[in-house]
Amino acid sequence: TVTELGLWNCVNEGQVNALSCAGGIAGKVGNDESDVDMIISGCENRGTVNCDQVAAGIIGNLSVERANILNVENCVNQADITGRDKVGGIICELTGAVLHQEGDVTISGCVNNGAITSTEGMYAGGIITYFVVMGDQVDLKLTMENCTNSGSVTSRNNAGGILCFSSSMLGVGTVSADSAITFRNCVNSGEILGQSSNSFVGGIAGNFGVEGVRTVFEGCTNSGNV
């Protein structure tokens, strides 16, 4: 029987200060159980988060090893998030076998209204900062839909209004034909700024590329300065 773990309707109003891995709701959320769905729903952060590296409004690091389904839905960050390196509005790092092997991941209805600032590092994202797809056999469906960023996103290098950075480390023939990454009806109105001459910045995605995985951008809009 599939069970369900997660966070529902959590609210933070206090300031968060840390050296590593900080979030307005949780610094790190992890699951290594099989046959478990992970749901992060209706959470809101109203307090500033200041962290040296891996900082976000909702969850600093979300690591799911063997989830059937991972849903992050209707979460809101209202405050400024500042760090030296990786910084995100909703989730900073999305990691684990849910991306590396198989998973059905949906990030939906999430909103960032705070300024996202990486003072010295390479990564800042309005909704999600960083993920890497890797593994021997990948069967992945990752969907980001109806997410909105209105806050400024600033980094020395990579910056994106919805997603900052993604990449892949895959062997030949390891990706299933059903694997897909979809951006649907995502909206950015915040200013996106990379401060070096080799910056990769975008209103929706900054530095995006997942080898061998079909990618769809559908109904996404940007009105912020890039």
Side-chain angles (χ1 to χ4, degrees):
T1 301
V2 174
T3 58
E4 190 173 86
L5 297 174
L7 299 168
W8 293 269
N9 303 318
C10 301
V11 178
N12 173 61
E13 296 184 343
Q15 185 180 65
V16 177
N17 298 296
L19 293 177
S20 179
C21 207
I25 300 301
K28 180 178 177 67
V29 173
N31 168 51
D32 61 1
E33 299 296 328
S34 60
D35 297 326
V36 173
D37 292 345
M38 287 289 294
I39 311 295
I40 315 295
S41 180
C43 296
E44 182 175 359
N45 176 58
R46 302 169 188 165
T48 58
V49 178
N50 300 283
C51 181
D52 197 39
Q53 57 183 339
V54 187
I58 303 299
I59 298 173
N61 177 275
L62 178 56
S63 178
V64 181
E65 293 303 320
R66 294 187 293 272
N68 289 341
I69 294 173
L70 170 61
N71 286 345
V72 181
E73 57 190 26
N74 303 322
C75 293
V76 179
N77 175 60
Q78 303 284 17
D80 294 346
I81 314 296
T82 304
R84 182 179 59 83
D85 196 0
K86 297 175 186 174
V87 185
I90 302 299
I91 298 169
C92 185
E93 294 179 329
L94 176 60
T95 62
V98 71
L99 291 179
H100 298 177
Q101 296 170 9
E102 60 180 343
D104 189 344
V105 182
T106 303
I107 315 296
S108 63
C110 292
V111 176
N112 174 64
N113 294 319
I116 307 302
T117 306
S118 174
T119 58
E120 300 179 29
M122 296 179 62
Y123 309 104
I127 302 299
I128 293 181
T129 305
Y130 183 95
F131 72 81
V132 178
V133 177
M134 60 188 296
D136 296 330
Q137 297 292 329
V138 174
D139 184 6
L140 169 67
K141 295 179 181 64
L142 171 62
T143 302
M144 298 185 68
E145 59 185 1
N146 302 316
C147 293
T148 302
N149 176 66
S150 66
S152 62
V153 180
T154 304
S155 171
R156 290 192 65 184
N157 290 94
N158 305 299
I162 302 300
L163 170 70
C164 173
F165 178 89
S166 70
S167 68
S168 60
M169 291 181 283
L170 304 172
V172 176
T174 61
V175 179
S176 76
D178 293 333
S179 291
I181 296 175
T182 303
F183 295 80
R184 181 180 296 118
N185 300 330
C186 293
V187 176
N188 175 68
S189 60
E191 180 181 42
I192 313 300
L193 176 63
Q195 297 178 312
S196 73
S197 60
N198 61 345
S199 298
F200 292 91
V201 298
I204 303 301
N207 189 338
F208 180 84
V210 179
E211 173 189 8
V213 178
R214 179 170 54 91
T215 302
V216 177
F217 288 84
E218 180 180 282
C220 297
T221 60
N222 172 65
S223 60
N225 292 328
V226 177

